[in-house]
Each structure stands twice: as structure tokens, then as C-alpha cells.
Amino acid sequence: MSLVLDLVSWTMLLGGVFLGVSGAVGLFRFPDFYTRLHAAGVTDTLCAALILGGLMVQAGWSLVSIKLAFILLFLWYTSPTASHALAKAALRAGLGPRLAEKENPPSKS
Amino acid sequence: MIHLLWLGASLYGFWLLLSGHWDSGLLLALGGASTALVTLMAWRMQRLDALSFPAGLWRRLPGYWAWLFVEIIKANQDVVRRIWQPARFPISPTMAWLPASQKTDLGRAIYANSITLTPGTVAIEIDERGVLVHGLSAEVIADLRGAAMDRRVTRLEDGEGGA
Amino acid sequence: MFAAACLGILVVMALALVRASLPGNVYDRILAINMFGTKTVLFIAAYGFLTERPDFLDIALTYALINFIGIIAVLKLVERVAGTASPETDE
């Protein structure tokens, strides 16, 4: 049984790390600020959930798990606020997004 | 007043969960003192009106969260594919004003936060008419235009409405 | 296994730092720093498990809140400074 739990938590941890790396790669690969925002969103949502979830499986039913759940709750409550504030500030400052209608720029690589 | 008591009780519960020391009278009293102080500050700041949550919302919230979680997983898959396979899943950044059918500020805030929380879409501006959304691809904007999320949030807000 | 997770998160943090230090506009940098901050929270949590000291979670919890407040504060500052001048253009 504990082997199954270990397997589950390792898969979740590895999946979380993979999503984190994907988001970081997206940060380099996407053409403009607004699209990079979406790449960062991946690391803020499912990546955090998988890593904290994997740790929760290891901790079992305990206060440690409750704390991990609170960390996830805070991250999920604050990250959309931060993203929204960032996007709004950028748009207000006149940073125009590149949109698909005009052109479809290839990624920078 | 009832709000103050609720706030104080939930803060103390939160403190108990974080501290994990439930056997020392001194620590429990110190925790009580700090929650009382925070409650007092919240009262002085007059922020309590913002806490008025419709009671029915609490019952419907878990179901909505479950649905939102599934949506977030799907959206993550989509964005990760676009990151690693730009040739097969090209991006087409799109920006559009979408209508928001919620009646209260709280409902619109939940809607905009849900949009931002699902990767691939970010809510940038919001007012009485709708939400300005930047999407990673034309597809995700078309999805939002389908208004499944909009209807769900409206239903979450007033109990019936939508479909 | 926790070591592997910690290492992976460190790689992500390093990538975010590199992105933040590249020339570009200020919002890209704030975005990268925000990502660095949330990964720090995850790293502290995973490191607490690696060293078997669950007290680290309290630090992670605090850091999650501080990071959010810090990003909002920096944004307010940038908004005020950029209110008059036009922003650097993208690339």
C-alpha cells in the first residue's frame, strides 16, 4: 500500500516539475508579454497543485497536509490577482499585445 | 456584530490549525489575544461589509470548484502542448470583450478570477458590461464565448439562472 | 525523490532568474520574478520534506503571502513611475 502511495506521490512531484520546466520554457519561447503571462499561469496553477499534492500524499492525514492545503489555497487565490494586476498595469502603460489578426510572429528561438 | 464573531471564530480556528500546540494554556491565550487584535483592526478598518457572503453560495461553491479544477487541468494540457509543439499547436493571441451576465460585484469577481486561473486566458479589464480577456489562442476565446463558465458562475451566484 | 523534486524546482527558478535578467521590458521582469517567488514557496515546502523538518511549511506559508504583497507593491511603484513616461518597447 505504501508503495502505491509512494508511486502516486512521485508521479505527482515529477509531473509538477515537468509543468514547471514547461512554463519556464514558455517564458522564453512565447513572443510577447501577454502570451508569456499564460506560460507563467501553468506554473502557478497545476504545477503548484501537483507538487503540493504529491507532498500531501507523503504526509497523509495530518496537520502538515492541512498546512500544504492552505499554501495551495493562498497561491490559487493570489496568483490570478497578481496576473490580472500585472496585465492591467502593462496595458494601461501602453504596452500593446501582438495579436494574431495582424500577423502571426514565429517564436523567438 | 455577528460578522465580527464569525471572523474572530474562523481566525482562531485558522490559528489553531497552524500552531498545532493545543495543550499549553499560555499559547492558547496568546493566540486568542492575537485573533482578538486582528478582529479589532478589521472592525476599525470597516471592511466587514465585504465579507457578506450569501449563505447559499457556500453550499454551491465545492461543486463549482470541482468543475473549475477539471477545466484548469484541461487548460494546462492545452498550454503545455502549445509550448512544446509550436508547429502542431500554433498560438494565435486574441483579445476580446466578453459579456458577463453576473449581477453582483462578487459574481463578476469570481468570473474574472476563474478566467485568469485557467491558463491560456487572462482577464485584463472588467466593468458592468463585461470582461476584457487576452487569450493564448483564438480557440480558448471561442470557448469562453460559448459562455459555459459565465453561466456556471451566474448559477453559482443566484441559485437558478442560466441553464 | 524529494531531492529530485528540489533540484527540478531549482532549475525552474534558475530559468526564471535568467529570464528576469535578460534585457526586455519591466513587466516581463516582474512576471519572471513573480514566478521565481511562487517556485520559492514550492521549493521551501519540498525542502522541508527532504530534511524531514515540517516546520519549514510555516516559512513557505508566510513566503506565499509576502511574495504576493511584494509583487503588488512593486506593480504600484512601476505604475506610478510609468504613469508619465512611455514604457520601453517589447524587444
Side-chain angles (χ1 to χ4, degrees):
Chain A
M1 189 59 205
S2 99
L3 184 72
V4 176
L5 283 185
D6 270 356
L7 222 61
V8 168
S9 97
W10 291 351
T11 318
M12 287 173 87
L13 284 174
L14 279 187
V17 168
F18 169 71
L19 284 179
V21 174
S22 304
V25 168
L27 217 53
F28 285 91
R29 218 160 164 161
F30 281 163
D32 80 333
F33 164 73
Y34 296 93
T35 45
R36 284 177 205 133
L37 205 54
H38 302 309
V42 170
T43 73
D44 277 351
T45 53
L46 201 57
C47 163
L50 279 177
I51 288 179
L52 292 175
L55 295 178
M56 256 185 249
V57 171
Q58 287 284 338
W61 288 106
S62 62
L63 276 182
V64 172
S65 278
I66 293 179
K67 274 184 197 170
L68 286 168
F70 270 120
I71 294 178
L72 186 60
L73 192 70
F74 284 153
L75 281 182
W76 277 31
Y77 262 88
T78 56
S79 84
T81 313
S83 303
H84 162 74
L86 202 52
K88 191 173 176 178
L91 196 71
R92 285 267 167 92
L95 180 69
R98 291 187 184 181
L99 299 178
E101 274 94 73
K102 288 176 228 154
E103 49 166 338
N104 202 346
S107 53
K108 269 202 305 184
S109 56
Chain B
M1 194 58 211
I2 194 82
H3 277 158
L4 264 187
L5 286 178
W6 263 115
L7 179 66
S10 42
L11 280 177
Y12 196 59
F14 183 51
W15 184 88
L16 280 177
L17 281 178
L18 288 193
S19 97
H21 293 283
W22 299 341
D23 43 6
S24 154
L26 175 68
L27 284 181
L28 288 179
L30 282 176
S34 51
T35 49
L37 185 67
V38 171
T39 315
L40 181 74
M41 287 200 293
W43 174 64
R44 298 249 316 170
M45 283 163 75
Q46 305 281 322
R47 294 306 300 160
L48 285 172
D49 54 339
L51 290 173
S52 52
F53 247 53
L57 200 64
W58 282 115
R59 276 188 290 109
R60 291 188 291 269
L61 208 49
Y64 178 70
W65 275 352
W67 178 81
L68 185 64
F69 190 69
V70 175
E71 288 298 304
I72 287 174
I73 292 176
K74 282 193 259 174
N76 267 289
Q77 279 177 353
D78 181 60
V79 176
V80 168
R81 278 213 208 108
R82 285 174 207 277
I83 290 173
W84 290 111
Q85 299 178 294
R88 278 181 57 201
F89 302 92
I91 59 169
S92 47
T94 310
M95 215 147 134
W97 276 99
L98 299 176
S101 64
Q102 292 77 33
K103 291 175 202 74
T104 61
D105 286 349
L106 180 67
R108 272 195 296 277
I110 294 177
Y111 184 41
N113 265 324
S114 307
I115 289 177
T116 311
L117 202 52
T118 41
T121 49
V122 170
I124 300 180
E125 293 268 7
I126 181 162
D127 65 13
E128 288 75 27
R129 294 160 310 170
V131 201
L132 177 63
V133 181
H134 183 280
L136 185 57
S137 62
E139 287 92 345
V140 290
I141 292 289
D143 261 9
L144 273 182
R145 266 194 212 286
M149 184 183 273
D150 182 49
R151 267 188 316 231
R152 289 216 175 234
V153 178
T154 306
R155 199 164 37 181
L156 174 78
E157 181 189 36
D158 59 14
E160 59 272 356
Chain C
M1 196 58 205
F2 293 130
C6 283
L7 210 67
I9 302 173
L10 273 181
V11 169
V12 179
M13 288 166 76
L15 285 173
L17 266 192
V18 170
R19 173 69 238 187
S21 57
L22 283 181
N25 74 52
V26 64
Y27 299 101
D28 271 324
R29 290 165 183 234
I30 299 177
L31 180 68
I33 290 300
N34 185 24
M35 190 167 144
F36 180 77
T38 52
K39 293 297 108 33
T40 311
V41 175
L42 298 181
F43 176 74
I44 296 173
Y47 190 74
F49 275 77
L50 178 67
T51 54
E52 291 179 355
R53 288 180 62 187
D55 342 353
F56 271 53
L57 286 181
D58 295 322
I59 305 173
L61 201 56
T62 318
Y63 201 90
L65 296 174
I66 292 177
N67 179 50
F68 171 66
I69 295 171
I71 292 295
I72 296 294
V74 170
L75 267 178
K76 281 270 169 207
L77 177 74
V78 169
E79 238 179 351
R80 194 167 297 173
V81 173
T84 48
S86 63
E88 306 163 51
T89 48
D90 192 18
E91 283 140 349

